Amino acid sequence: MTWLSTLVIAFAMSTDAFAAAVSKGASLSRPKFSEALRTGVIFGAIEAITPLIGWALGSVAAPYVAAWDHWIAFCMLTVLGLHMMHNGYKTDQAEAPVRTRHSFWLLAATGFATSIDAMAVGVTLAFIDNNILVTASAIGMATLLMVTLGVMVGRMLGALVGKRAEMLGGAALIGIGAIILYEHLSAVA
C-alpha cells in the first residue's frame, strides 16, 4: 500500500470523529486549546488502537465485525446523542453550571463509537500487504489533528447557538450514527 493511500484511509477514518468533535466543542463553554488537544489525544489513541485490534482478529472476526459494526456504531451514537440532548433540555429547564470539560469516559465512549469502522478496516488490512503499525499511527495522528480542529470549530459554533449547542450536538451524533448505518445498509443492497 502506498503512502498516499495510507493518508487517504487515515483522513477518511477521522471524518466522523471530526463531526463528533465539533458537537463536543459546541456543547462546552469556550473550550481552551488544551481541552481540544486532550479530546484529540483520546480520540486519536482510540482510533489508532481499533485497527490494530481488527487486524489482530483478522479473518476470525471478519464476518462478525463487518456484519455488526454499523449497528454497534449507530446504537452507541444514538444513546450518546440522546444523552446529550437530554442534558441540553435539562440545562434549559434549570440553569446548570456551564461545562468547560467533558469527562474522559464520555469522550472515550464517543471515540470508540466513531472508530468501530476503523476496526473493520483493520480486519481488511490483515489480508493485504500493509504495515499495520504505520497505517494505525497515521489514522491516530489524522484523528488527533481533525478532532482537535473539530473542537475548536465547535467552540465558534457554540458561541453562535448558545444554550442549544448540546441539543444540536446530540442530534449531530444521532445523525452521524444514522449516516453510518445508511451507508452500510445501502452498500449491501
Side-chain angles (χ1 to χ4, degrees):
M1 197 157 76
T2 68
W3 65 270
L4 183 59
S5 56
T6 301
L7 283 177
V8 168
I9 288 172
F11 279 99
M13 292 290 97
S14 66
T15 55
D16 51 353
F18 172 80
V22 170
S23 70
K24 293 294 181 197
S27 68
L28 293 176
S29 175
R30 302 200 40 85
K32 295 180 180 175
F33 180 75
S34 60
E35 177 62 15
L37 186 59
R38 173 182 170 265
T39 304
V41 167
I42 292 168
F43 273 66
I46 291 169
E47 196 84 28
I49 291 169
T50 53
L52 292 172
I53 293 168
W55 182 82
L57 296 173
S59 62
V60 174
Y64 304 110
V65 173
W68 292 97
D69 67 342
H70 50 285
W71 286 106
I72 294 167
F74 172 72
C75 290
M76 286 183 72
L77 289 171
T78 298
V79 167
L80 289 167
L82 289 172
H83 178 71
M84 283 180 70
M85 291 175 77
H86 178 269
N87 285 343
Y89 178 73
K90 203 168 56 175
T91 301
D92 269 359
Q93 296 296 348
E95 287 297 318
V98 179
R99 216 173 356 157
T100 58
R101 184 179 185 127
H102 288 294
S103 75
F104 170 81
W105 294 110
L106 178 64
L107 292 176
T110 307
F112 182 72
T114 61
S115 70
I116 296 205
D117 57 343
M119 188 180 301
V121 166
V123 170
T124 305
L125 293 175
F127 302 114
I128 64 172
D129 182 27
N130 173 58
N131 184 336
I132 189 62
L133 294 177
V134 170
T135 303
S137 297
I139 291 170
M141 293 303 292
T143 302
L144 184 148
L145 175 68
M146 295 290 284
V147 167
T148 302
L149 178 64
V151 171
M152 297 313 288
V153 167
R155 172 187 170 143
M156 292 181 283
L157 293 177
L160 294 174
V161 295
K163 293 188 297 184
R164 304 258 185 240
E166 192 156 19
M167 293 173 76
L168 291 172
L173 287 182
I174 293 169
I176 293 167
I179 290 168
I180 291 169
L181 182 63
Y182 173 78
E183 287 174 348
H184 282 272
L185 293 178
S186 65
V188 172

